[in-house]
Short mmCIF file of all heavy atoms in Angstrom, two decimals:
data_model
loop_
_atom_site.label_atom_id
_atom_site.label_comp_id
_atom_site.label_asym_id
_atom_site.label_seq_id
_atom_site.Cartn_x
_atom_site.Cartn_y
_atom_site.Cartn_z
N VAL S 288 115.97 106.81 78.45
CA VAL S 288 115.81 107.27 79.83
C VAL S 288 115.20 106.17 80.68
O VAL S 288 114.61 105.21 80.16
CB VAL S 288 114.93 108.54 79.90
CG1 VAL S 288 115.60 109.71 79.20
CG2 VAL S 288 113.55 108.28 79.29
N ASP S 289 115.35 106.32 81.98
CA ASP S 289 114.66 105.43 82.91
C ASP S 289 114.30 106.26 84.14
O ASP S 289 114.27 107.50 84.08
CB ASP S 289 115.51 104.21 83.27
CG ASP S 289 116.79 104.56 84.03
OD1 ASP S 289 117.05 105.77 84.27
OD2 ASP S 289 117.53 103.63 84.41
N ARG S 290 114.00 105.62 85.23
CA ARG S 290 113.76 106.31 86.50
C ARG S 290 114.66 105.69 87.56
O ARG S 290 114.91 104.48 87.55
CB ARG S 290 112.30 106.16 86.93
CG ARG S 290 111.33 107.08 86.22
CD ARG S 290 111.53 108.51 86.64
NE ARG S 290 110.46 109.39 86.14
CZ ARG S 290 110.48 110.71 86.27
NH1 ARG S 290 111.51 111.30 86.86
NH2 ARG S 290 109.49 111.43 85.81
N ASP S 291 115.15 106.53 88.47
CA ASP S 291 115.93 106.00 89.58
C ASP S 291 115.03 105.15 90.48
O ASP S 291 113.86 105.48 90.69
CB ASP S 291 116.53 107.14 90.41
CG ASP S 291 117.61 107.90 89.67
OD1 ASP S 291 118.29 107.28 88.83
OD2 ASP S 291 117.77 109.11 89.92
N PRO S 292 115.55 104.04 91.01
CA PRO S 292 114.74 103.19 91.88
C PRO S 292 114.26 103.95 93.11
O PRO S 292 114.97 104.80 93.65
CB PRO S 292 115.71 102.07 92.27
CG PRO S 292 116.74 102.05 91.19
CD PRO S 292 116.89 103.47 90.77
N LEU S 293 113.05 103.63 93.54
CA LEU S 293 112.47 104.23 94.73
C LEU S 293 112.60 103.28 95.92
O LEU S 293 112.56 102.06 95.75
CB LEU S 293 110.98 104.53 94.50
CG LEU S 293 110.63 105.60 93.47
CD1 LEU S 293 109.13 105.63 93.24
CD2 LEU S 293 111.14 106.97 93.91
N PRO S 294 112.71 103.82 97.12
CA PRO S 294 112.74 102.95 98.30
C PRO S 294 111.38 102.35 98.63
O PRO S 294 111.30 101.35 99.35
CB PRO S 294 113.22 103.89 99.42
CG PRO S 294 112.80 105.25 98.96
CD PRO S 294 112.93 105.24 97.46
N ARG S 295 110.32 102.97 98.12
CA ARG S 295 108.97 102.43 98.33
C ARG S 295 108.06 102.92 97.21
O ARG S 295 108.28 103.98 96.63
CB ARG S 295 108.42 102.88 99.70
CG ARG S 295 108.35 104.38 99.88
CD ARG S 295 108.00 104.81 101.29
NE ARG S 295 106.62 104.48 101.62
CZ ARG S 295 105.94 105.10 102.59
NH1 ARG S 295 106.52 106.07 103.31
NH2 ARG S 295 104.70 104.75 102.87
N TRP S 296 107.06 102.11 96.90
CA TRP S 296 106.06 102.49 95.90
C TRP S 296 104.73 102.85 96.54
O TRP S 296 103.93 103.57 95.95
CB TRP S 296 105.79 101.32 94.94
CG TRP S 296 106.97 100.83 94.17
CD1 TRP S 296 108.13 101.49 93.93
CD2 TRP S 296 107.09 99.55 93.54
NE1 TRP S 296 108.98 100.69 93.18
CE2 TRP S 296 108.36 99.49 92.92
CE3 TRP S 296 106.25 98.45 93.42
CZ2 TRP S 296 108.79 98.37 92.20
CZ3 TRP S 296 106.68 97.34 92.72
CH2 TRP S 296 107.94 97.31 92.12
N THR S 297 104.48 102.31 97.72
CA THR S 297 103.15 102.38 98.33
C THR S 297 103.12 103.41 99.46
O THR S 297 104.00 103.42 100.33
CB THR S 297 102.75 101.00 98.88
OG1 THR S 297 102.72 100.07 97.79
CG2 THR S 297 101.38 101.05 99.53
N HIS S 298 102.10 104.25 99.43
CA HIS S 298 101.85 105.24 100.47
C HIS S 298 100.37 105.14 100.85
O HIS S 298 99.51 105.74 100.19
CB HIS S 298 102.19 106.65 99.97
CG HIS S 298 103.63 106.81 99.57
ND1 HIS S 298 104.55 107.48 100.35
CD2 HIS S 298 104.30 106.37 98.47
CE1 HIS S 298 105.73 107.45 99.75
NE2 HIS S 298 105.61 106.79 98.60
N GLY S 299 100.09 104.38 101.88
CA GLY S 299 98.70 104.21 102.31
C GLY S 299 97.87 103.56 101.23
O GLY S 299 98.18 102.45 100.78
N PRO S 300 96.83 104.24 100.74
CA PRO S 300 95.95 103.66 99.73
C PRO S 300 96.40 103.93 98.30
O PRO S 300 95.62 103.77 97.36
CB PRO S 300 94.61 104.35 100.01
CG PRO S 300 95.00 105.71 100.48
CD PRO S 300 96.29 105.53 101.25
N VAL S 301 97.65 104.34 98.12
CA VAL S 301 98.17 104.69 96.78
C VAL S 301 99.43 103.89 96.52
O VAL S 301 100.31 103.77 97.38
CB VAL S 301 98.48 106.20 96.70
CG1 VAL S 301 99.03 106.55 95.31
CG2 VAL S 301 97.26 107.03 97.02
N THR S 302 99.55 103.34 95.30
CA THR S 302 100.79 102.66 94.92
C THR S 302 101.09 102.91 93.46
O THR S 302 100.25 103.46 92.71
CB THR S 302 100.72 101.15 95.21
OG1 THR S 302 102.04 100.60 95.21
CG2 THR S 302 99.88 100.40 94.17
N LEU S 303 102.29 102.51 93.03
CA LEU S 303 102.75 102.66 91.65
C LEU S 303 102.92 101.31 91.00
O LEU S 303 103.17 100.31 91.69
CB LEU S 303 104.07 103.42 91.62
CG LEU S 303 104.08 104.81 92.25
CD1 LEU S 303 105.51 105.36 92.31
CD2 LEU S 303 103.18 105.76 91.48
N LEU S 304 102.83 101.29 89.67
CA LEU S 304 102.89 100.03 88.93
C LEU S 304 103.52 100.28 87.57
O LEU S 304 103.34 101.34 86.97
CB LEU S 304 101.47 99.46 88.80
CG LEU S 304 101.27 98.14 88.07
CD1 LEU S 304 100.11 97.36 88.71
CD2 LEU S 304 100.98 98.34 86.58
N GLY S 305 104.25 99.29 87.05
CA GLY S 305 104.83 99.39 85.72
C GLY S 305 105.87 100.49 85.64
O GLY S 305 106.65 100.71 86.57
N ASP S 306 105.91 101.21 84.52
CA ASP S 306 106.92 102.25 84.33
C ASP S 306 106.83 103.35 85.37
O ASP S 306 107.83 104.00 85.68
CB ASP S 306 106.80 102.86 82.93
CG ASP S 306 107.46 102.00 81.86
OD1 ASP S 306 108.09 100.99 82.22
OD2 ASP S 306 107.33 102.35 80.67
N ALA S 307 105.66 103.60 85.90
CA ALA S 307 105.53 104.61 86.96
C ALA S 307 106.34 104.21 88.18
O ALA S 307 106.87 105.06 88.91
CB ALA S 307 104.06 104.80 87.34
N ALA S 308 106.46 102.92 88.42
CA ALA S 308 107.21 102.41 89.58
C ALA S 308 108.66 102.16 89.26
O ALA S 308 109.55 102.45 90.07
CB ALA S 308 106.56 101.12 90.09
N HIS S 309 108.95 101.61 88.06
CA HIS S 309 110.31 101.11 87.79
C HIS S 309 110.66 101.16 86.31
O HIS S 309 111.10 100.18 85.73
CB HIS S 309 110.43 99.67 88.30
CG HIS S 309 109.31 98.76 87.87
ND1 HIS S 309 109.12 98.36 86.56
CD2 HIS S 309 108.30 98.20 88.57
CE1 HIS S 309 108.06 97.58 86.48
NE2 HIS S 309 107.53 97.47 87.69
N ALA S 310 110.49 102.32 85.70
CA ALA S 310 110.86 102.45 84.29
C ALA S 310 112.32 102.06 84.09
O ALA S 310 113.20 102.55 84.78
CB ALA S 310 110.62 103.88 83.81
N MET S 311 112.57 101.17 83.11
CA MET S 311 113.91 100.64 82.87
C MET S 311 114.31 100.86 81.42
O MET S 311 113.46 101.05 80.55
CB MET S 311 113.94 99.13 83.17
CG MET S 311 113.72 98.77 84.60
SD MET S 311 113.70 96.96 84.86
CE MET S 311 112.02 96.59 84.39
N TYR S 312 115.63 100.79 81.16
CA TYR S 312 116.09 100.80 79.78
C TYR S 312 115.57 99.55 79.08
O TYR S 312 115.40 98.50 79.71
CB TYR S 312 117.62 100.80 79.72
CG TYR S 312 118.27 102.00 80.37
CD1 TYR S 312 119.50 101.87 81.01
CD2 TYR S 312 117.68 103.26 80.33
CE1 TYR S 312 120.13 102.96 81.60
CE2 TYR S 312 118.30 104.35 80.92
CZ TYR S 312 119.52 104.19 81.57
OH TYR S 312 120.13 105.26 82.15
N PRO S 313 115.35 99.63 77.77
CA PRO S 313 114.79 98.48 77.04
C PRO S 313 115.84 97.41 76.76
O PRO S 313 116.17 97.12 75.61
CB PRO S 313 114.27 99.13 75.75
CG PRO S 313 115.18 100.30 75.53
CD PRO S 313 115.49 100.83 76.90
N MET S 314 116.35 96.83 77.81
CA MET S 314 117.34 95.75 77.69
C MET S 314 116.71 94.45 78.19
O MET S 314 116.38 94.35 79.37
CB MET S 314 118.58 96.05 78.53
CG MET S 314 119.20 97.41 78.31
SD MET S 314 120.06 97.51 76.74
CE MET S 314 120.72 99.19 76.82
N GLY S 315 116.48 93.50 77.30
CA GLY S 315 115.96 92.22 77.75
C GLY S 315 114.45 92.08 77.69
O GLY S 315 113.89 91.16 78.29
N SER S 316 113.75 92.99 77.02
CA SER S 316 112.30 92.86 76.80
C SER S 316 111.50 92.80 78.10
O SER S 316 110.62 91.96 78.26
CB SER S 316 112.01 91.61 75.95
OG SER S 316 112.71 91.63 74.74
N ASN S 317 111.79 93.71 79.03
CA ASN S 317 111.14 93.62 80.33
C ASN S 317 110.14 94.72 80.63
O ASN S 317 109.51 94.69 81.69
CB ASN S 317 112.20 93.58 81.44
CG ASN S 317 112.62 92.16 81.77
OD1 ASN S 317 111.91 91.43 82.43
ND2 ASN S 317 113.78 91.77 81.26
N GLY S 318 109.96 95.69 79.75
CA GLY S 318 109.04 96.78 80.04
C GLY S 318 107.60 96.31 80.21
O GLY S 318 107.04 96.33 81.32
N ALA S 319 106.98 95.89 79.11
CA ALA S 319 105.60 95.41 79.17
C ALA S 319 105.49 94.16 80.03
O ALA S 319 104.51 93.99 80.78
CB ALA S 319 105.08 95.14 77.76
N THR S 320 106.48 93.29 79.93
CA THR S 320 106.44 92.03 80.69
C THR S 320 106.30 92.28 82.18
O THR S 320 105.44 91.69 82.85
CB THR S 320 107.71 91.21 80.41
OG1 THR S 320 107.67 90.74 79.06
CG2 THR S 320 107.83 90.02 81.35
N GLN S 321 107.13 93.15 82.73
CA GLN S 321 107.08 93.37 84.18
C GLN S 321 105.86 94.17 84.59
O GLN S 321 105.36 94.00 85.72
CB GLN S 321 108.37 94.04 84.65
CG GLN S 321 109.63 93.21 84.42
CD GLN S 321 109.59 91.85 85.11
OE1 GLN S 321 108.86 91.64 86.07
NE2 GLN S 321 110.38 90.91 84.60
N SER S 322 105.32 95.01 83.72
CA SER S 322 104.06 95.68 84.03
C SER S 322 102.93 94.67 84.17
O SER S 322 102.08 94.79 85.06
CB SER S 322 103.72 96.69 82.92
OG SER S 322 104.66 97.73 82.86
N ILE S 323 102.91 93.69 83.29
CA ILE S 323 101.89 92.64 83.36
C ILE S 323 102.04 91.83 84.65
O ILE S 323 101.05 91.52 85.33
CB ILE S 323 101.97 91.74 82.12
CG1 ILE S 323 101.55 92.54 80.87
CG2 ILE S 323 101.12 90.49 82.27
CD1 ILE S 323 101.91 91.87 79.56
N MET S 324 103.28 91.50 84.99
CA MET S 324 103.51 90.75 86.23
C MET S 324 103.10 91.57 87.45
O MET S 324 102.48 91.04 88.39
CB MET S 324 104.98 90.34 86.33
CG MET S 324 105.46 89.43 85.21
SD MET S 324 104.49 87.90 85.04
CE MET S 324 104.78 87.14 86.65
N ASP S 325 103.42 92.86 87.46
CA ASP S 325 102.96 93.74 88.54
C ASP S 325 101.45 93.65 88.70
O ASP S 325 100.92 93.52 89.82
CB ASP S 325 103.31 95.20 88.23
CG ASP S 325 104.77 95.54 88.43
OD1 ASP S 325 105.53 94.71 88.95
OD2 ASP S 325 105.14 96.67 88.05
N ALA S 326 100.75 93.79 87.58
CA ALA S 326 99.29 93.82 87.61
C ALA S 326 98.70 92.56 88.21
O ALA S 326 97.75 92.61 89.00
CB ALA S 326 98.75 94.04 86.19
N ARG S 327 99.27 91.44 87.85
CA ARG S 327 98.74 90.17 88.34
C ARG S 327 98.97 89.99 89.84
O ARG S 327 98.09 89.54 90.58
CB ARG S 327 99.36 89.02 87.56
CG ARG S 327 98.98 89.01 86.09
CD ARG S 327 97.53 88.63 85.91
NE ARG S 327 97.37 87.17 86.09
CZ ARG S 327 96.24 86.58 86.38
NH1 ARG S 327 95.15 87.28 86.59
NH2 ARG S 327 96.18 85.26 86.50
N VAL S 328 100.16 90.35 90.30
CA VAL S 328 100.46 90.24 91.73
C VAL S 328 99.58 91.20 92.53
O VAL S 328 99.01 90.84 93.58
CB VAL S 328 101.95 90.51 92.00
CG1 VAL S 328 102.22 90.58 93.51
CG2 VAL S 328 102.81 89.43 91.36
N LEU S 329 99.44 92.43 92.04
CA LEU S 329 98.63 93.43 92.73
C LEU S 329 97.17 92.98 92.83
O LEU S 329 96.54 93.09 93.90
CB LEU S 329 98.72 94.76 92.00
CG LEU S 329 97.84 95.89 92.53
CD1 LEU S 329 98.17 96.21 93.98
CD2 LEU S 329 97.97 97.13 91.66
N ALA S 330 96.61 92.50 91.72
CA ALA S 330 95.21 92.06 91.73
C ALA S 330 95.00 90.91 92.71
O ALA S 330 93.97 90.87 93.42
CB ALA S 330 94.79 91.65 90.33
N ARG S 331 95.94 89.99 92.76
CA ARG S 331 95.82 88.87 93.69
C ARG S 331 95.82 89.36 95.14
O ARG S 331 94.99 88.92 95.96
CB ARG S 331 96.97 87.88 93.48
CG ARG S 331 96.91 86.66 94.40
CD ARG S 331 98.09 85.72 94.15
NE ARG S 331 98.06 84.60 95.08
CZ ARG S 331 97.38 83.48 94.88
NH1 ARG S 331 96.67 83.32 93.78
NH2 ARG S 331 97.40 82.52 95.78
N GLU S 332 96.73 90.27 95.47
CA GLU S 332 96.79 90.80 96.83
C GLU S 332 95.48 91.51 97.20
O GLU S 332 94.96 91.34 98.31
CB GLU S 332 97.97 91.75 96.97
CG GLU S 332 99.33 91.09 96.88
CD GLU S 332 99.64 90.20 98.08
OE1 GLU S 332 99.16 90.50 99.19
OE2 GLU S 332 100.34 89.19 97.89
N LEU S 333 94.96 92.32 96.29
CA LEU S 333 93.73 93.04 96.58
C LEU S 333 92.54 92.10 96.72
O LEU S 333 91.68 92.29 97.60
CB LEU S 333 93.45 94.07 95.48
CG LEU S 333 94.31 95.34 95.52
CD1 LEU S 333 94.18 96.11 94.21
CD2 LEU S 333 93.90 96.22 96.70
N ALA S 334 92.49 91.08 95.88
CA ALA S 334 91.35 90.17 95.91
C ALA S 334 91.33 89.27 97.14
O ALA S 334 90.25 88.90 97.64
CB ALA S 334 91.34 89.30 94.65
N LEU S 335 92.50 88.93 97.65
CA LEU S 335 92.57 87.98 98.77
C LEU S 335 92.63 88.67 100.13
O LEU S 335 92.71 87.99 101.16
CB LEU S 335 93.78 87.06 98.60
CG LEU S 335 93.71 86.11 97.41
CD1 LEU S 335 94.95 85.23 97.36
CD2 LEU S 335 92.46 85.24 97.48
N GLY S 336 92.59 89.99 100.16
CA GLY S 336 92.64 90.70 101.43
C GLY S 336 91.43 91.59 101.63
O GLY S 336 90.80 92.03 100.67
N SER S 337 91.10 91.86 102.86
CA SER S 337 89.97 92.74 103.17
C SER S 337 90.43 94.18 103.39
O SER S 337 89.60 95.09 103.39
CB SER S 337 89.25 92.25 104.42
OG SER S 337 90.14 92.17 105.53
N ASP S 338 91.73 94.40 103.56
CA ASP S 338 92.29 95.73 103.80
C ASP S 338 93.11 96.15 102.59
O ASP S 338 94.22 95.63 102.37
CB ASP S 338 93.16 95.71 105.06
CG ASP S 338 93.79 97.06 105.36
OD1 ASP S 338 93.55 98.02 104.60
OD2 ASP S 338 94.53 97.16 106.35
N PRO S 339 92.61 97.09 101.76
CA PRO S 339 93.35 97.49 100.56
C PRO S 339 94.75 98.02 100.86
O PRO S 339 95.69 97.76 100.10
CB PRO S 339 92.47 98.58 99.95
CG PRO S 339 91.10 98.29 100.46
CD PRO S 339 91.30 97.75 101.85
N ARG S 340 94.91 98.74 101.96
CA ARG S 340 96.22 99.29 102.29
C ARG S 340 97.22 98.17 102.55
O ARG S 340 98.38 98.22 102.09
CB ARG S 340 96.10 100.22 103.49
CG ARG S 340 95.20 101.42 103.24
CD ARG S 340 94.71 102.03 104.55
NE ARG S 340 95.81 102.58 105.30
CZ ARG S 340 96.18 103.86 105.25
NH1 ARG S 340 95.50 104.72 104.50
NH2 ARG S 340 97.19 104.31 105.96
N ALA S 341 96.80 97.16 103.28
CA ALA S 341 97.67 96.02 103.53
C ALA S 341 97.97 95.27 102.24
O ALA S 341 99.08 94.77 102.04
CB ALA S 341 97.04 95.08 104.55
N ALA S 342 96.99 95.20 101.33
CA ALA S 342 97.19 94.52 100.05
C ALA S 342 98.23 95.23 99.21
O ALA S 342 99.10 94.60 98.59
CB ALA S 342 95.87 94.42 99.30
N LEU S 343 98.17 96.57 99.18
CA LEU S 343 99.16 97.33 98.42
C LEU S 343 100.56 97.14 99.00
O LEU S 343 101.54 97.04 98.26
CB LEU S 343 98.80 98.81 98.40
CG LEU S 343 97.46 99.21 97.78
CD1 LEU S 343 97.37 100.73 97.63
CD2 LEU S 343 97.21 98.53 96.45
N ALA S 344 100.64 97.09 100.32
CA ALA S 344 101.93 96.85 100.97
C ALA S 344 102.45 95.46 100.64
O ALA S 344 103.66 95.26 100.42
CB ALA S 344 101.81 97.03 102.47
N GLY S 345 101.56 94.47 100.57
CA GLY S 345 101.96 93.12 100.21
C GLY S 345 102.46 93.03 98.79
O GLY S 345 103.43 92.31 98.50
N TYR S 346 101.79 93.73 97.89
CA TYR S 346 102.25 93.80 96.49
C TYR S 346 103.65 94.38 96.41
O TYR S 346 104.54 93.84 95.74
CB TYR S 346 101.25 94.65 95.69
CG TYR S 346 101.83 95.40 94.52
CD1 TYR S 346 102.21 94.75 93.36
CD2 TYR S 346 101.99 96.80 94.59
CE1 TYR S 346 102.74 95.46 92.27
CE2 TYR S 346 102.50 97.51 93.52
CZ TYR S 346 102.88 96.85 92.37
OH TYR S 346 103.40 97.55 91.30
N GLU S 347 103.88 95.49 97.13
CA GLU S 347 105.21 96.10 97.12
C GLU S 347 106.26 95.15 97.68
O GLU S 347 107.37 95.03 97.13
CB GLU S 347 105.20 97.39 97.92
CG GLU S 347 106.57 98.05 98.01
CD GLU S 347 106.56 99.27 98.89
OE1 GLU S 347 105.87 100.24 98.54
OE2 GLU S 347 107.25 99.24 99.93
#
Side-chain angles (χ1 to χ4, degrees):
V288 295
D289 65 358
R290 281 290 190 187
D291 291 329
L293 293 172
R295 59 188 291 202
W296 300 340
T297 300
H298 299 256
V301 180
T302 197
L303 302 172
L304 180 146
D306 280 355
H309 48 69
M311 294 177 278
Y312 299 146
M314 308 287 182
S316 304
N317 270 284
T320 290
Q321 298 302 337
S322 295
I323 292 166
M324 299 303 298
D325 284 352
R327 295 289 284 159
V328 173
L329 175 60
R331 181 181 177 87
E332 292 291 329
L333 284 166
L335 293 181
S337 57
D338 179 0
R340 298 160 65 94
L343 300 190
Y346 150 73
E347 178 184 295

